[in-house]
Amino acid sequence: MSQKEIAESLTLLEKNWDIDPVLKDFELGKISDVADYPVKVKNVMFHIPFLLKEKKYVLWKCYWPDCHNCCDRQGRLPLTSDDLITIGEGMKYQKTSDFIKNETLTITWSEAGSTGQSTTMTTINLKRKKDETPEDDGTHISCRFLDEEGGCSIHPSRPGVCYLYPFSTWLESEKGNARVHASFQFTGDCPGFYLEDTIDPMKEILDEYSDIVYDYNMKSNRTLREGFGSVNF
Ligand code: SF4
Ligand code: SF4
């Protein structure tokens, strides 16, 4: 995501939410004195930003149901092979192949990886609107499953990637073993980030998300092994 897109998202966000000016500068990439504070929680290594000059951690909490901005401005919904089955069944499809044909788009897209390198991925994405086309990929669309109360009408079988937000996750080799890592995605769409002196207020959330992140990573890797997507570095 470009700085211009993040700036546009933050401008929209500020219409309804107070955004700390320091956090805004951080999300816009204007603060360079940032350290990575790694926190291992069960099977996941979380990377929490620490602003050196301000001596503050960037933490997060979710304001749902007062906020559903991530569903209002959804950019892409890549599905795992488990999602294909559970969401297809939830939408009353007898055959997963019919669900894939009618409700998804297979898209190839690129993004910067954890170390800045470009990663090209091909994924099966849930259509965020019924008439979504490949040209809509990556643009902000209010998801068709967002209901009038701000809930997700396909919950609990909503895509794993929706459970994951606002984290992103990747695998790294550590002494010959795969280690799951996670960090925040700063897209400018989430009002839940805040600055704090310690990471204590986020301990319970990290504990809960450790399971979510690990589970998503395993499912995502199984999806690739089963041929329902591909990644090229
Ligand atoms: S945008 Fe952030 S605060 Fe709002 S619902 Fe999504 S995760 Fe929660
Ligand atoms: S599928 Fe549900 S949780 Fe995911 S973006 Fe759509 S409404 Fe939100």
Side-chain angles (χ1 to χ4, degrees):
M1 204 172 187
S2 69
Q3 294 297 341
K4 183 169 171 279
E5 287 170 310
I6 295 172
E8 285 167 1
S9 297
L10 282 167
T11 301
L12 283 174
L13 195 65
E14 282 183 308
K15 289 185 178 171
N16 297 312
W17 298 89
D18 290 332
I19 308 299
D20 184 313
V22 175
L23 260 178
K24 185 178 172 185
D25 280 350
F26 167 71
E27 291 206 46
L28 289 171
K30 293 181 180 172
I31 295 182
S32 53
D33 279 356
V34 184
D36 172 28
Y37 183 77
V39 190
K40 185 171 174 289
V41 183
K42 294 183 275 192
N43 291 312
V44 176
M45 186 69 81
F46 287 94
H47 297 268
I48 306 293
F50 179 69
L51 308 191
L52 292 163
K53 191 168 151 229
E54 293 76 10
K55 295 189 171 49
K56 300 271 186 196
Y57 295 91
V58 179
L59 304 185
W60 167 82
K61 63 185 169 196
C62 185
Y63 285 114
W64 188 87
D66 294 324
C67 172
H68 35 81
N69 215 30
C70 43
C71 304
D72 269 324
R73 290 175 53 74
Q74 185 50 250
R76 180 183 294 121
L77 290 172
L79 301 178
T80 65
S81 47
D82 285 52
D83 289 332
L84 294 174
I85 295 166
T86 52
I87 300 173
E89 283 176 357
M91 293 179 79
K92 308 293 179 216
Y93 279 93
Q94 293 196 342
K95 291 186 193 162
T96 303
S97 55
D98 287 339
F99 166 71
I100 292 173
K101 189 170 144 211
N102 294 331
E103 310 289 351
T104 72
L105 291 169
T106 300
I107 303 284
T108 297
W109 47 282
S110 297
E111 68 173 13
S114 57
T115 53
Q117 84 284 11
S118 179
T119 307
T120 302
M121 306 187 74
T122 299
T123 50
I124 300 175
N125 300 347
L126 185 61
K127 288 181 187 172
R128 296 156 295 159
K129 59 179 184 178
K130 267 221 156 295
D131 57 353
E132 184 173 339
T133 67
E135 287 69 38
D136 294 319
D137 181 62
T139 62
H140 296 291
I141 289 175
S142 184
C143 180
R144 60 180 159 143
F145 301 109
L146 181 63
D147 66 23
E148 285 177 2
E149 282 79 46
C152 175
S153 62
I154 55 173
H155 184 77
S157 59
R158 63 188 162 130
V161 72
C162 300
Y163 281 97
L164 192 69
Y165 189 85
F167 290 97
S168 61
T169 177
W170 68 96
L171 276 178
E172 270 179 31
S173 175
E174 187 181 297
K175 294 179 187 159
N177 296 315
R179 159 75 62 203
V180 176
H181 292 255
S183 64
F184 294 129
Q185 307 175 39
F186 293 104
T187 62
D189 292 314
C190 178
F193 295 109
Y194 63 101
L195 298 174
E196 192 55 81
D197 294 338
T198 77
I199 66 156
D200 290 354
M202 246 199 100
K203 279 194 168 157
E204 273 180 37
I205 295 175
L206 291 178
D207 195 58
E208 177 194 347
Y209 270 79
S210 177
D211 296 332
I212 292 170
V213 167
Y214 189 82
D215 184 58
Y216 179 80
N217 223 288
M218 296 303 110
K219 286 177 175 166
S220 190
N221 280 295
R222 191 158 66 238
T223 303
L224 297 177
R225 282 201 307 276
E226 292 172 348
F228 290 104
S230 65
V231 184
N232 290 300
F233 300 100

